[in-house]
Amino acid sequence: QGKSDLCHKGMLHAGKVMALAGVELLENPELVAKAKEEFDNRRGGETYICPIPPEVKPSPLR
């Protein structure tokens, strides 16, 4: 929905916010450590199980 001026401005603003969040994380490694700790706590010990079997390989690009 980026065709309208209002939507385009909103997408640009969202992009700026995400970029600044990335800069903030790069400048503050302790923030990254806190985020990882919170993520692990919220997961409650569950681990990710990939639904794709390990023997399945991507097809080569043509």
Side-chain angles (χ1 to χ4, degrees), residues 7-23:
C7 293
H8 186 72
K9 286 181 182 178
M11 288 191 303
L12 286 175
H13 186 69
K16 290 176 185 179
V17 169
M18 291 180 357
L20 287 173
V23 168

Side-chain angles (χ1 to χ4, degrees), residues 3-57:
K3 290 185 178 185
S4 77
D5 189 45
L6 181 64
C7 293
H8 186 72
K9 286 181 182 178
M11 288 191 303
L12 286 175
H13 186 69
K16 290 176 185 179
V17 169
M18 291 180 357
L20 287 173
V23 168
E24 187 75 22
L25 290 171
L26 288 172
E27 291 178 345
N28 298 304
E30 65 276 358
L31 229 72
V32 176
K34 285 182 183 179
K36 285 182 180 180
E37 182 182 339
E38 180 183 343
F39 179 70
D40 289 339
N41 288 339
R42 286 181 180 230
R43 257 191 338 191
E46 290 185 34
T47 58
Y48 177 76
I49 300 171
C50 182
I52 302 171
E55 66 273 4
V56 175
K57 304 295 179 206

Side-chain angles (χ1 to χ4, degrees), residues 57-62:
K57 304 295 179 206
S59 59
L61 296 176
R62 295 180 189 180

